């Protein structure tokens, strides 16, 4: 892609995100979401491969539908209450439509089917944008309207997302699809705590973005898109494979790694809110995700292919290791001891 075009699309992504997260009016928030959608489409389809074009088409249709629902929800609320302010969402019908729209935007179950297919049709760097930056504006809308939303509906969506994200990721062999279902599962943790502690949900999203960035950049550096090529990564880059194992275990939420912090705090907050059954269910469902994280870590660090595979083995990686990978991987594994400071900042 031409550098000038890439610069324009990247600037548009930043502009759309800034407009959405800083607006109090529904029309401005909707405009920011539309700018984001239109800016990411060329980045998804830049390879001109049929899978990339299919992914861009699916992404456009889903995001356009969700944006239409957001606009319809805000118009219904303005019609009934005369308010266009995002914080003044009081109509029950508007709250229900908005919850559905944000679930479609984020890829929460049962509106999750587009996300693994879109992620599979894109490059790893574009997939990183879709998993982190593109989820920030709708999550911001979820935070700003959290006190108006139905807690029972959000809890059901969260438990369903955690269950399906873990269950459907078990039999995947493509790393991008595994990371897509991992994202769906993590979004369930954010959705269940949003109403009770928006700051905790925001902390969860920040740490999720940190660990996701580390995993995507490591996979991009070792040029791995499926488990069979991941098995040879230890021979090519043992240091990156070890860092990948630590970040995956942090993804799974194992102590004493960084990913344990949000799960621990969310379960503690749910227990304080007298939602111990929901906390128990979501904690048990996260064991499904733990299984495929362990499988990925096992393939990256312990398993070597026992026979000759059909793909070309790249014994030397062509991409120089970026210093940001080392920083992100270190933070993904070591932020738990300074967690009290993180909580005071958030």
């Amino acid at each position: 892609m031409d550098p000038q075009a890439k610069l324009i699309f990247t600037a548009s992504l930043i502009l759309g995100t800034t407009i959405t997260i800083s607006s109090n009016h529904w029309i401005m928030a909707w405009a920011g979401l539309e700018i984001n959608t239109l800016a990411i489409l060329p980045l998804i389809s830049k390879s001109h491969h049929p899978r990339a074009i299919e992914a861009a088409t699916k992404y456009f249709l889903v995001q356009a539908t969700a944006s239409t629902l957001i606009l319809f929800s805000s118009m219904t609320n303005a019609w009934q209450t005369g308010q266009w302010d995002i914080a003044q969402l009081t109509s029950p019908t508007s709250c229900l439509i908005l919850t559905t729209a944000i679930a479609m935007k984020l890829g929460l179950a049962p509106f999750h089917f587009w996300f693994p297919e879109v992620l599979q049709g894109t490059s790893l760097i574009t997939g990183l944008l879709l998993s982190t930056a593109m989820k920030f504006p709708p999550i911001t809308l979820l935070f700003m309207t959290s006190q108006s939303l139905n807690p029972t509906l959000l809890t059901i969506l969260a438990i369903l997302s955690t269950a399906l994200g873990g269950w459907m990721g078990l039999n995947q062999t493509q790393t991008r699809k595994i990371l897509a279902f991992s994202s769906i599962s993590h979004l369930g943790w954010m959705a269940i705590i949003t109403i009770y502690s928006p700051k905790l949900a925001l902390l969860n999203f920040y740490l999720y973005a940190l660990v996701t960035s580390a995993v995507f950049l490591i996979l991009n550096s070792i040029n791995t898109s499926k488990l069979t090529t991941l098995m040879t990564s230890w021979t090519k880059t043992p240091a990156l494979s070890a860092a990948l194992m630590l970040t995956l275990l942090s993804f799974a939420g194992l102590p004493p790694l960084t990913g344990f912090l949000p799960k621990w705090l969310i379960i503690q907050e749910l227990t304080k809110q007298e939602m111990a059954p929901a906390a128990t269910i979501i904690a048990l469902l996260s064991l499904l995700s733990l299984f495929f994280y362990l499988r990925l870590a096992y393939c990256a660090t312990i398993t070597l292919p026992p026979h000759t595979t059909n793909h070309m083995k790249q014994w030397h990686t062509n991409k120089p290791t970026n210093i940001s990978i080392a920083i992100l991987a270190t933070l993904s594994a070591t932020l738990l001891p300074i967690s009290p400071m993180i909580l005071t900042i958030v």
Side-chain angles (χ1 to χ4, degrees), residues 203-216:
L203 172 68
N204 193 357
F205 177 75
Y206 287 155
L207 295 181
Y208 157 78
L210 172 72
V211 181
T212 302
S213 301
V215 172
F216 269 97

Side-chain angles (χ1 to χ4, degrees), residues 248-262:
L248 287 170
L249 295 180
S250 179
F251 235 159
L254 291 181
L257 302 174
T258 304
F260 174 65
L261 173 63

Side-chain angles (χ1 to χ4, degrees), residues 190-314:
M190 295 178 214
I192 199 170
I193 200 62
T194 299
I195 291 179
Y196 306 104
S197 179
K199 286 187 177 181
L200 187 51
L202 193 62
L203 172 68
N204 193 357
F205 177 75
Y206 287 155
L207 295 181
Y208 157 78
L210 172 72
V211 181
T212 302
S213 301
V215 172
F216 269 97
L217 290 175
I218 290 173
L219 291 176
N220 183 63
S221 181
I222 61 182
N223 199 17
T224 299
S225 60
K226 49 189 175 182
L227 292 182
T228 52
T229 54
L230 186 63
M231 290 178 181
T232 62
S233 62
W234 182 264
T235 312
K236 293 188 293 182
T237 51
L240 281 180
S241 297
L244 179 62
M245 181 192 71
L246 284 176
T247 51
L248 287 170
L249 295 180
S250 179
F251 235 159
L254 291 181
L257 302 174
T258 304
F260 174 65
L261 173 63
K263 288 184 168 58
W264 173 26
L265 295 176
I266 287 173
I267 291 175
Q268 184 180 17
E269 182 65 27
L270 288 176
T271 307
K272 288 180 182 177
Q273 298 291 338
E274 298 182 356
M275 293 185 63
T280 305
I281 291 171
I282 203 169
L284 290 175
L285 289 175
S286 67
L287 296 176
L288 296 171
S289 302
L290 172 63
F291 179 82
F292 61 74
Y293 290 134
L294 287 175
R295 187 176 62 167
L296 274 174
Y298 187 87
C299 289
T301 56
I302 299 175
T303 305
L304 289 176
H307 55 78
T308 303
T309 55
N310 294 325
H311 64 83
M312 291 180 60
K313 293 188 178 68
Q314 297 178 350

Side-chain angles (χ1 to χ4, degrees), residues 11 23 75 97 155 170 268 310 342:
S23 61
M75 289 175 64
I97 297 172
T155 303
L170 290 177
Q268 184 180 17
N310 294 325
I342 299 174

Side-chain angles (χ1 to χ4, degrees), residues 104-148:
M104 288 181 69
K105 281 274 184 187
L106 292 174
L108 281 171
F111 309 104
H112 66 285
F113 293 102
W114 63 272
F115 188 56
E117 299 298 325
V118 169
L119 214 62
Q120 180 62 27
T122 64
S123 64
L124 282 167
I125 297 300
T126 310
L128 173 59
L129 286 176
L130 289 172
S131 300
T132 55
M134 297 303 294
K135 293 192 183 299
F136 190 49
I139 280 181
T140 306
L141 290 180
L142 192 65
F143 293 158
M144 288 193 287
T145 58
S146 60
Q147 300 307 315
S148 306

